[in-house]
Amino acid sequence: MTDLRLDAPEPPALIAIRRQAGLADEMWRELAPLLAEEGITADTDLTDLPTLQSALDRAVARYNTALFTPTGRARTEAAALLRQVASCFADGETGHAARLLDSLGPQASQEQPATSTACIGLALSLLDAWSAPAGGAPAGVPAGTALPAGHWRGERAATDILALARKGRAHRSHQRLIAQHGGRHVMDGAALALAATVQAWAKHTGTPAAEIAEAAIG
């Protein structure tokens, strides 16, 4: 049965490179407006490789940042799912929390309108914000948050995320985290770190974790 709680330490992620038909064409279409802003169009001299590579690097960075910075409905759906995960985690319903996370993919669907990228991005940005002096979390809670005892899915990523968030650098480090741990481990780790912080916040204030999640995750 799927569960966030593990019986043994989580094995390191195996970063696999998968080839998906049509993915390159789809990405080029999505990058085209960003490349155009960099002056790269169908009429550009493609033999100027250094200029092309620099423009492509900037466009990809902006594209990735947008994916991991949800707004509007994407943010609303991500927040709703993360609130459920945090509440389930606090209630010991770690199997349900795992199933919620397992339902996420890179694209929204009718069955699951939240996406993995939106949830990762929102969780990381919230953790950064809560660690700021006026971030809304009680003083000392983000800095004092630790993962609960035991072994967890995404625990390695969560440990790194909590450390980065204390410096306000978790969100800006999302690409490095994914390169190091893999997307699925970062998704689990971001949700785990967020849920652990909500639980610490609840303990500090004597407020039910579900109320903290409802008020703070949005």
Side-chain angles (χ1 to χ4, degrees):
M1 181 178 177
T2 298
D3 202 318
L4 286 184
R5 187 183 291 276
L6 302 175
D7 294 328
E10 177 186 51
L14 297 176
I15 311 300
I17 298 175
R18 295 181 298 174
R19 298 188 181 278
Q20 181 176 333
L23 184 60
D25 290 342
E26 179 182 347
M27 176 167 284
W28 274 111
R29 285 195 298 272
E30 293 180 352
L31 288 176
L34 297 174
L35 287 170
E37 293 178 17
E38 296 283 347
I40 305 298
T41 68
D43 298 325
T44 299
D45 177 12
L46 299 183
T47 61
D48 185 0
L49 294 181
T51 298
L52 178 62
Q53 186 63 57
S54 295
L56 182 59
D57 289 345
R58 290 190 294 271
V60 169
R62 291 174 61 193
Y63 174 77
N64 285 333
T65 297
L67 278 181
F68 288 89
T69 310
T71 59
R73 183 178 177 185
R75 184 185 178 99
T76 299
E77 298 294 353
L81 186 133
L82 290 171
R83 285 194 294 269
Q84 291 182 69
V85 170
S87 296
C88 288
F89 187 84
D91 291 339
E93 298 176 359
T94 52
H96 188 196
R99 289 190 291 274
L100 288 170
L101 293 174
D102 288 343
S103 72
L104 292 169
Q107 301 294 329
S109 66
Q110 186 173 3
E111 294 76 21
Q112 178 49 272
T115 67
S116 55
T117 51
C119 287
I120 290 172
L122 179 57
L124 298 182
S125 63
L126 285 172
L127 289 165
D128 281 344
W130 292 347
S131 293
V141 167
T145 296
L147 300 182
H151 304 297
W152 302 93
R153 275 176 36 179
E155 64 182 281
R156 286 184 173 85
T159 299
D160 286 350
I161 288 167
L162 287 172
L164 288 164
R166 292 179 188 120
K167 303 173 185 176
R169 291 166 42 194
H171 187 270
R172 75 180 73 171
S173 303
H174 65 267
Q175 293 186 64
R176 180 170 67 80
L177 286 165
I178 290 172
Q180 181 177 353
H181 297 288
R184 177 52 60 181
H185 286 245
V186 173
M187 176 69 263
D188 290 340
L192 178 61
L194 193 75
T197 304
V198 167
Q199 196 168 29
W201 190 335
K203 183 177 180 180
H204 180 85
T205 60
T207 305
E211 291 185 21
I212 300 293
E214 186 66 30
I217 300 176

